[in-house]
Amino acid sequence: MSTDPNGPSYGFDTLQIHAGARPDPATGARQVPIYQTTAYVFRDADHAAALFNLQEVGYIYSRLTNPTVAALQERIATLEGGIGGVCCASGHAAQLMALFPLMAPGKNIVASTRLYGGTVTQFTQTIKRFGWSATFVDFDDLDAIKAAIDDNTQAIFGEAIANPGGYIMDVRAVADIADDAGIPLIIDNTTATPYLCRPIEHGATLVVHSTTKYLTGNGTVTGGCVVDSGKFDWAASGKFPSLSEPEPAYHGLKFAETFGPMAFPFHGIAIGLRDLGMTMNPQAAHYTLMGIETLSLRMDRHVQNAEKIAKWLEDDPRVDYVTYAGLKSSKYFDRVAQVCPKGAGGLFTFAVKGGYEACIKLIDSLEIFSHVANLGDTRSLIIHPASTTHRQLQENQQRAAGAAPEIVRVSIGIEDADDLIADLDQALSKATA
Ligand SMILES: Cc1ncc(COP(=O)(O)O)c(C=O)c1O
């Protein structure tokens, strides 16, 4: 399939199957082969030198690039409307890969309080060891975001549909703030997927994914991806020297000057993957390529089921409240049409009357729902965030993140909605007896 920007433009359902995947040049294989190889034979010494100099694009060593992984990168970038992508070993790796070219000791990011708990921990604890820091702000308070930005702020980071609450971020409004400050907006689009939300169309610069979730879709492999919009001028302000100035880690190459709008993906591979080594393996890329082929079909069903189940839970006297943004009662309901018009996703929380103890009993009584630390599976999943994914956080941070001790998080699968409701019904009866 042509990827010529002036060629035909295809719909999402076509691209999720074809983007990045050409018949194998050696064998004609129609499905993308799993290139299970560590290294690639150079034609001759000049070819090797040209590849290492980035004068010619090709394959050197699978820590950097691999044809199966490259097909996935191109597919995700195409679905997001980006110019290029870099796949890596996990969603958390993708977050570091997104920040790495932008940051230096003493620099900070402004991040939403409503993030996956592991991301809050990565941003409060782990990045400190690199001399980076994060300031957390309620992203519904746009003035607070502006106030948190200082001369050392290098990026703004938020989730389009926040895990665990399913809250929707006003991506356009935050992108405008980032533009005024001359810094990139990074959106974690894991829970929305490009089928429900395309953050680049709302002004985001970079999109990160845990491909572990809906993109793969069936809980088989971990992976991540950073997609670049290609729209940010890295050289304009002098704030991003690793991209705009001679980069000592690549014998003085100026990535922005040499690669223009592709500077970020090239940097991600040539320096990020080369030196940090958080590489996706070709087997994982294969599973994720398979998963993405049915992304739109699955997401429609996740949304349809989530809407039905959230409504049922909201009307149930054993439930205190439900956070699903697709419910008319949600303060985020109006944003759904604007940010993710095909639906508010399959992830939300609900509070069980009886608090912490009732949550635990509910989880232990369910039969179809699996109690696991994952989301975005074909199967329905449930977890109690305060005692698991958000355990490292203080209670005030848990509440700010939408992970209060009295709630459970569900990732609604694509089973029969009526079976899921019956399962919740019997477990709620036991939990609140
Ligand atoms: C929204 C979100 N972002 C990032 C991650 C991290 O992804 P991974 O587990 O693939 O590192 C997760 C994991 O649950 C997540 O839910």
Side-chain angles (χ1 to χ4, degrees), residues 301 304-306 308-309 312 368-369 380 412-426:
R301 182 62 173 265
Q304 198 187 322
N305 280 359
K308 187 167 178 181
I309 292 164
W312 180 84
I368 301 175
F369 281 79
S380 290
I412 300 296
I414 61 174
E415 303 100 328
D416 283 312
D418 290 341
D419 290 340
L420 298 174
I421 288 174
D423 196 23
L424 287 165
D425 190 23
Q426 63 81 19

Side-chain angles (χ1 to χ4, degrees), residues 89-95 115-119 122 157 159 161-164 188-192 208-213 221-224 347 373-375 389 409:
S90 69
H92 263 10
Q95 291 164 198
L115 294 178
Y116 161 56
T119 305
Q122 188 185 55
F157 188 102
E159 290 175 13
I161 300 182
N163 174 11
D188 181 340
N189 203 28
T190 299
T191 53
V208 294
H209 275 282
S210 165
T211 60
T212 317
K213 316 294 181 196
V221 284
T222 59
L347 189 77
N374 195 18
L375 61 92
T389 52
R409 182 195 76 190

Side-chain angles (χ1 to χ4, degrees), residues 251-333:
H251 49 69
L253 186 74
K254 289 185 179 179
F255 279 82
E257 189 180 287
T258 310
F259 300 109
M262 282 295 283
F264 198 94
F266 268 94
H267 190 287
I269 291 166
I271 299 191
L273 289 182
R274 185 197 66 181
D275 294 351
L276 301 177
M278 300 186 281
T279 309
M280 177 182 277
N281 68 75
Q283 288 279 347
H286 165 74
Y287 282 108
T288 306
L289 280 165
M290 296 298 98
I292 292 183
E293 293 191 353
T294 57
L295 180 65
S296 63
L297 309 178
R298 287 184 284 108
M299 292 315 290
D300 276 338
R301 182 62 173 265
H302 282 295
V303 167
Q304 198 187 322
N305 280 359
E307 283 176 355
K308 187 167 178 181
I309 292 164
K311 277 192 198 117
W312 180 84
L313 285 166
E314 188 174 46
D315 290 341
D316 194 289
R318 296 163 295 185
V319 170
D320 255 335
Y321 59 87
V322 182
T323 62
Y324 190 52
L327 290 171
K328 287 208 178 76
S329 57
S330 166
K331 84 178 220 199
Y332 297 98
F333 183 74

Side-chain angles (χ1 to χ4, degrees), residues 126-409:
T126 306
I127 64 170
K128 274 200 299 207
R129 298 179 188 199
F130 306 142
W132 314 344
S133 63
T135 308
F136 288 89
V137 178
D138 176 352
F139 271 25
D140 285 339
D141 184 348
L142 299 180
D143 288 335
I145 302 177
K146 287 181 207 160
I149 296 171
D150 64 26
D151 290 345
N152 287 318
T153 304
Q154 300 295 97
I156 301 180
F157 188 102
E159 290 175 13
I161 300 182
N163 174 11
Y167 304 123
I168 314 282
M169 175 180 162
D170 185 346
V171 181
R172 168 59 64 189
V174 181
D176 288 344
I177 295 173
D179 279 351
D180 288 346
I183 55 177
L185 171 64
I186 307 172
I187 293 292
D188 181 340
N189 203 28
T190 299
T191 53
T193 81
Y195 181 64
L196 298 181
C197 173
R198 304 220 312 163
I200 291 170
E201 286 172 3
H202 298 274
T205 309
L206 300 170
V207 177
V208 294
H209 275 282
S210 165
T211 60
T212 317
K213 316 294 181 196
Y214 291 103
L215 294 185
T216 305
N218 43 26
T220 46
V221 284
T222 59
C225 187
V226 188
V227 174
D228 179 24
S229 62
K231 292 184 180 153
F232 196 90
D233 183 350
W234 301 108
S237 65
K239 262 177 94 71
F240 305 100
S242 189
L243 288 155
S244 64
E245 303 306 316
E247 170 53 78
Y250 217 98
H251 49 69
L253 186 74
K254 289 185 179 179
F255 279 82
E257 189 180 287
T258 310
F259 300 109
M262 282 295 283
F264 198 94
F266 268 94
H267 190 287
I269 291 166
I271 299 191
L273 289 182
R274 185 197 66 181
D275 294 351
L276 301 177
M278 300 186 281
T279 309
M280 177 182 277
N281 68 75
Q283 288 279 347
H286 165 74
Y287 282 108
T288 306
L289 280 165
M290 296 298 98
I292 292 183
E293 293 191 353
T294 57
L295 180 65
S296 63
L297 309 178
R298 287 184 284 108
M299 292 315 290
D300 276 338
R301 182 62 173 265
H302 282 295
V303 167
Q304 198 187 322
N305 280 359
E307 283 176 355
K308 187 167 178 181
I309 292 164
K311 277 192 198 117
W312 180 84
L313 285 166
E314 188 174 46
D315 290 341
D316 194 289
R318 296 163 295 185
V319 170
D320 255 335
Y321 59 87
V322 182
T323 62
Y324 190 52
L327 290 171
K328 287 208 178 76
S329 57
S330 166
K331 84 178 220 199
Y332 297 98
F333 183 74
D334 292 340
R335 273 195 203 156
V336 176
Q338 177 206 335
V339 179
C340 41
K342 294 202 187 80
L347 189 77
F348 61 87
T349 61
F350 63 94
V352 186
K353 282 195 179 134
Y356 189 104
E357 287 307 319
C359 289
I360 302 298
K361 266 197 217 152
L362 172 89
I363 287 177
D364 285 345
S365 307
L366 284 161
E367 284 167 13
I368 301 175
F369 281 79
S370 304
H371 182 201
V372 299
N374 195 18
L375 61 92
D377 197 323
T378 48
R379 278 150 273 276
S380 290
L381 312 174
I382 190 162
I383 199 159
H384 180 236
S387 59
T388 56
T389 52
H390 289 65
R391 190 183 183 84
Q392 306 303 325
L393 311 189
Q394 308 293 328
E395 190 177 323
N396 63 333
Q397 289 176 307
Q398 289 174 344
R399 289 191 181 279
E406 64 274 11
I407 60 104
V408 290
R409 182 195 76 190

Side-chain angles (χ1 to χ4, degrees), residues 42 47-56 60-61 64 250-251:
F42 305 122
H47 178 222
L51 289 172
F52 274 87
N53 269 343
L54 296 180
Q55 286 158 331
E56 190 174 328
I60 299 175
Y61 184 65
L64 309 171
Y250 217 98
H251 49 69

